[in-house]
Amino acid sequence: MLLRLSHVPMNRWFRIAKLDGPKEDCNRLLDLGFTPGEEVLVTHTAPLGDPLVIHVRGALLALRKREAAWIWVQ
């Protein structure tokens, strides 16, 4: 079952299945390390829920929910 990274529970590991969004934005996400097969963890959210702090490849990165919705995980 695939879920959008923007809708997964916090503090649980997921594996990236695919990226599905605007090509330029997905290329930026790939450059940041959000590649299929990589494990990711949502560690924090801002008080109003946007942005999300995501642990990927040993780094913590902040993504807008809009961007996280382009990352499909299982």
Side-chain angles (χ1 to χ4, degrees), residues 2-74:
L2 295 180
L3 300 169
R4 294 180 185 267
L5 187 59
S6 59
H7 291 93
V8 300
M10 286 182 30
N11 298 315
R12 285 193 45 209
W13 288 98
F14 292 91
R15 187 171 304 278
I16 297 173
K18 65 178 182 174
L19 301 180
D20 185 23
K23 184 176 171 110
E24 289 179 11
D25 295 316
C26 286
N27 286 340
R28 179 181 159 269
L29 292 172
L30 288 168
D31 290 342
L32 290 172
F34 292 95
T35 55
E38 197 62 43
E39 290 189 339
V40 293
L41 171 79
V42 178
T43 62
H44 299 86
T45 62
L48 297 177
D50 199 16
L52 305 173
V53 177
I54 301 169
H55 183 273
V56 61
R57 294 184 182 242
L60 292 175
L61 301 172
L63 287 183
R64 295 180 196 103
K65 273 195 165 184
R66 174 178 59 89
E67 297 167 323
W70 301 328
I71 303 170
W72 289 85
V73 297
Q74 54 188 4

